[in-house]
Amino acid sequence: MASVRRLHLFDLDGTLIHGSAAAVEISRQLGVGAEIAELEREFRSLGLTPDEFAVRARELWAELTIAQVAAAFEGAPWLLGIREVWADIRTRGDYCAVISLSPDFFVARLLEWGVHAAHGSRWPVLPFTEPVDRAGILNPAAKVKIANRLCAEFGVGLDDCVAYGDSMSDAEIFATVPRAVAVNADHHLSGLATHTYRGGDLREAYELVRLQ
């Protein structure tokens, strides 16, 4: 069993949400799934930046309501066992946080599930009356900066962190911490993860590092 407190850092899209993403689930509520799929393809393959993705997604989501966000959250294909993992982390005196490039109005809903902190890109308040502020949109490097802030807040070091992720947006944080679990991950995390998990239950992924 670990002798010091640890901080578990979770990605959202493709990691906690199995095979999908917040943007995809939100777009499904608005009937613009094909359009967001094209943006996702450009982000993954053509170098579309996170801030440009957000600006263009904001155009697609002009009529988005809080009720639609709630429906997207509730209907997303979440991994099983998320609440149980976070409850166990708390019981052990450790900490857990979600750091995601997705909109903060979606990510923050995970606080109700027992995570200590939930950080997402800063978006305008719903219903939208303002444009996206590009400066508030997170990128992969921001995950490391936020992790450092959380370490200071919780009194742990990066050497006491465990990261969970699935794609290129997690590569920088995987390269920074000593333990990292690739969850249903793509090739971008090859060689960076200390553990690999494929499946639909976060409890199984967590068990790989729980007692280390």
Side-chain angles (χ1 to χ4, degrees):
M1 182 178 296
S3 59
V4 297
R5 290 188 173 184
R6 294 195 296 177
L7 171 58
H8 296 258
L9 301 164
F10 295 90
D11 173 55
L12 174 68
D13 299 326
T15 302
L16 296 179
I17 300 179
H18 191 188
S20 190
V24 173
E25 298 304 315
I26 291 168
S27 296
R28 183 174 290 123
Q29 296 295 320
L30 293 164
V32 291
E35 292 86 345
I36 208 69
E38 175 60 21
L39 285 187
E40 292 274 357
R41 184 188 70 81
E42 292 184 35
F43 178 72
R44 290 191 305 269
S45 305
L46 301 179
L48 185 70
T49 60
D51 60 317
E52 182 62 22
F53 182 102
V55 167
R56 290 168 61 179
R58 161 70 173 79
E59 295 173 358
L60 294 174
W61 300 346
E63 304 303 319
L64 183 63
T65 66
I66 295 173
Q68 288 170 322
V69 173
F73 185 90
E74 292 165 9
W78 299 99
L79 287 187
L80 300 175
I82 294 174
R83 293 177 182 84
E84 290 85 350
V85 166
W86 292 346
D88 186 77
I89 289 171
R90 282 179 171 271
T91 297
R92 294 164 63 84
D94 291 339
Y95 304 100
C96 50
V98 175
I99 308 175
S100 172
L101 308 189
S102 287
D104 52 359
F105 57 72
F106 190 97
V107 180
R109 290 175 173 269
L110 289 168
L111 292 169
E112 297 180 3
W113 289 11
V115 73
H116 286 95
H119 291 268
S121 291
R122 188 173 67 249
W123 273 61
V125 175
L126 286 166
F128 296 140
T129 59
E130 301 291 333
V132 166
D133 178 2
R134 290 176 183 265
I137 304 303
L138 302 184
N139 58 32
K143 288 193 171 188
V144 178
K145 294 179 182 178
I146 293 170
N148 274 297
R149 292 206 304 265
L150 290 170
C151 284
E153 178 181 344
F154 295 132
V156 301
L158 280 176
D159 287 345
D160 305 316
C161 290
V162 184
Y164 303 75
D166 75 302
S167 66
M168 62 181 178
S169 69
D170 304 302
E172 291 192 42
I173 190 69
F174 267 46
T176 303
V177 302
R179 289 173 294 277
V181 184
V183 179
N184 299 313
D186 62 25
H187 69 280
H188 292 98
L189 299 185
S190 298
L192 293 174
T194 55
H195 300 77
T196 299
Y197 172 74
R198 291 199 175 276
D201 195 321
L202 187 62
R203 289 166 294 195
E204 296 171 351
Y206 172 58
E207 196 62 33
L208 297 174
V209 293
R210 180 173 179 267
L211 298 179
Q212 292 184 353

